[in-house]
Amino acid sequence: MIMCSFVLLLLLVGGVEKAYASEKKNIYIGLHDKMLPFTTGEAFIIDNQAVAPAEKLSRYLYIKQTVQKADEVYIFEKNGQQLTVNIKTKEASLNGKPAGSAAIHKENGQFYIGIRWIAQQFGFQVDYLSKNHTVRLYTKAGAKLSNEEFLKANQSFFDRLNSPQPAKGPIAYVTFDDGPSQQSASILNILASHRVKATFFYIEANIHRYQAAAKRAAAEGHYLALHSVTHKVNPLYNSPQSFMNEMEKTNRTLKSVTGRSSVLVRAPFGSSPYLKQPFCDAMSKRGYRLWDWDIDSEDWRYNTSSKARILQNIQAGIKMQKKRGDQHVVILLHEKKITAEMLPQILQFLTKEGYRLQTYDPSAHVVQNFWNDKRL
Ligand SMILES: [Zn+2]
């Protein structure tokens, strides 16, 4: 009898392992003492290796990535090390010397790289914390915590994953474009007094100009996102490259001023018609997400005497979204004086209609773009 159970157990374990080998298994990534903002499903184990989108992972590891020969050769550089990967042949070389076969994976036009493989090439230590499905990358200089302390320090990250959000009704995301601005302080005051977290799409020069506002918004738990450098059709939409350059420049400024970088972009004037397929491909490749909106308050149209229209537009929009059964409503506002003046009424209205007002959360991403591109 004991013998029989033992054999049965072996069979079961064998079966489970086999299933894992071909199935995707989600993982998370930690760098030094913190978890990186990879959302569920972004990084995973497939064929017994943990992989992540190459561009996004390199960005977090401060590895510069460039692409040559029509997407065939990827070059990764950091601290004078140069790693070259041919994604057709899988051949890799480190500083010109053959470095064996690269750990790579391609899926839906995305290029994934073996996390352990690339991290080790650039001198990171790698631990797999299997209980938390987490790959931790670190250097002696960069990490202060032991693995046990690391898990403790990041407990809130894992708690959030494990506790399924109780569905207490639909969510509304209040978003503000074109800031930070002179109006930021009053907008932030109103949000704070209503205990609402919002999402801000910043223009690069404004981050420089209104640094205190950007820092305050970050400190108060709002999500800061990217809205370009020039905000002009030409040059912004000249090419996918010009578009990405503007967003990444904005991201660098955001990081230098607030210490935070962003994965979320709002295309000026909306993603349709300018943000055609090659633009979306470029964004997806670099791990960015794109948000348009459900409800346009059209606040940019109005002045002091007509500002009540902002609320009316939102009320009409909410009526429509309720009919559609949309559980995630994104509302477009701008950092304008009349918008700030109408904001208390807008927040009261949304709350009264049963909406939970939340900020953008990369780990609970909602697809919200005019192309309905699920990658973004
Ligand atoms: Zn704008």
Side-chain angles (χ1 to χ4, degrees):
M1 189 62 197
I2 289 167
M3 203 50 184
C4 279
S5 322
F6 183 64
V7 171
L8 185 64
L9 186 69
L10 273 184
L11 282 172
L12 279 173
V13 170
V16 169
E17 269 175 7
K18 220 176 193 171
Y20 278 162
S22 52
E23 267 172 36
K24 270 195 201 174
K25 197 172 149 205
N26 182 65
I27 54 149
Y28 301 100
I29 306 171
L31 175 63
H32 302 309
D33 293 336
K34 283 195 181 146
M35 293 302 295
L36 293 179
F38 281 83
T39 56
T40 300
E42 255 189 301
F44 47 85
I45 295 178
I46 190 160
D47 299 331
N48 291 318
Q49 73 179 0
V51 299
E55 298 222 35
K56 186 166 172 181
L57 181 63
S58 332
R59 197 143 40 83
Y60 281 113
L61 302 183
Y62 297 97
I63 296 170
K64 184 180 161 214
Q65 189 204 292
T66 45
V67 184
Q68 284 185 356
K69 295 188 185 160
D71 271 16
E72 262 184 53
V73 176
Y74 280 66
I75 298 170
F76 301 91
E77 289 166 288
K78 182 179 178 167
N79 301 339
Q81 293 260 79
Q82 191 190 60
L83 178 68
T84 306
V85 176
N86 184 313
I87 62 167
K88 286 244 165 78
T89 64
K90 293 198 174 186
E91 279 167 51
S93 62
L94 189 63
N95 302 326
K97 291 187 187 120
S101 184
I104 58 177
H105 172 71
K106 278 191 96 173
E107 191 174 311
N108 297 331
Q110 270 254 45
F111 170 42
Y112 292 83
I113 195 129
I115 300 168
R116 181 179 290 275
W117 185 76
I118 190 162
Q120 287 179 339
Q121 303 283 351
F122 287 98
F124 287 92
Q125 309 215 39
V126 182
D127 287 346
Y128 183 56
L129 313 175
S130 58
K131 203 175 128 248
N132 294 59
H133 311 291
T134 295
V135 182
R136 183 187 183 197
L137 313 175
Y138 60 98
T139 57
K140 284 240 163 70
K144 303 268 175 289
L145 307 177
S146 69
N147 280 338
E148 205 176 314
E149 291 165 336
F150 167 82
L151 290 177
K152 248 189 209 154
N154 288 284
Q155 190 55 48
S156 64
F157 178 94
F158 299 108
D159 285 347
R160 212 154 24 108
L161 296 171
N162 293 333
S163 63
Q165 291 264 334
K168 278 185 286 178
I171 299 170
Y173 300 91
V174 178
T175 71
F176 296 89
D177 282 13
D178 300 351
S181 70
Q182 267 188 340
Q183 299 307 319
S184 297
S186 56
I187 291 171
L188 291 169
N189 288 344
I190 295 163
L191 292 171
S193 72
H194 287 76
R195 297 209 183 107
V196 169
K197 308 282 183 220
T199 305
F200 291 88
F201 292 89
Y202 282 168
I203 289 173
E204 198 256 350
N206 292 346
I207 305 173
H208 282 297
R209 197 160 161 209
Y210 300 100
Q211 299 196 7
K215 284 180 188 159
R216 180 182 162 192
E220 295 184 358
H222 304 288
Y223 191 84
L224 307 184
L226 315 171
H227 195 49
S228 83
V229 177
T230 64
H231 206 287
K232 289 201 173 96
V233 172
N234 180 6
L236 177 60
Y237 293 106
N238 278 356
S239 69
Q241 195 56 52
S242 59
F243 183 83
M244 288 317 305
N245 285 348
E246 288 206 16
M247 294 308 168
E248 299 205 311
K249 185 175 179 191
T250 309
N251 213 358
R252 284 194 299 275
T253 300
L254 183 68
K255 171 94 183 168
S256 73
V257 170
T258 68
R260 297 234 204 127
S261 47
S262 188
V263 296
L264 188 64
V265 166
R266 175 167 282 154
F269 321 107
S271 68
S272 174
Y274 298 113
L275 207 75
K276 297 198 170 16
Q277 179 88 34
F279 292 80
C280 293
D281 292 346
M283 282 190 62
S284 156
K285 241 180 168 175
R286 293 179 202 204
Y288 282 102
R289 305 286 198 163
L290 173 69
W291 255 17
D292 288 305
W293 54 83
D294 290 304
I295 299 176
D296 185 353
S297 69
E298 301 195 19
D299 57 349
W300 52 273
R301 271 179 199 279
Y302 306 119
N303 55 36
T304 306
S305 63
S306 55
K307 67 183 180 187
R309 293 286 306 277
I310 300 172
L311 178 62
Q312 288 162 16
N313 288 338
I314 291 173
Q315 289 170 329
I318 286 292
K319 209 170 179 184
M320 192 134 89
Q321 296 308 312
K322 283 203 161 171
K323 250 185 217 158
R324 285 189 188 150
D326 190 346
Q327 295 295 300
H328 298 91
V329 178
V330 177
I331 299 170
L332 171 63
L333 297 159
H334 293 81
E335 293 205 17
K336 279 188 72 178
K337 189 159 183 282
I338 53 162
T339 305
E341 288 164 2
M342 292 303 294
L343 189 56
Q345 289 181 64
I346 293 169
L347 300 178
Q348 276 154 30
F349 167 73
L350 293 169
T351 308
K352 195 187 87 215
E353 291 294 305
Y355 287 87
R356 287 177 290 149
L357 303 179
Q358 292 190 357
T359 181
Y360 175 73
D361 178 357
S363 70
H365 177 73
V366 175
V367 174
Q368 179 71 63
N369 65 77
F370 296 148
W371 303 97
N372 200 21
D373 188 327
K374 306 277 191 231
R375 299 171 302 170
L376 297 178

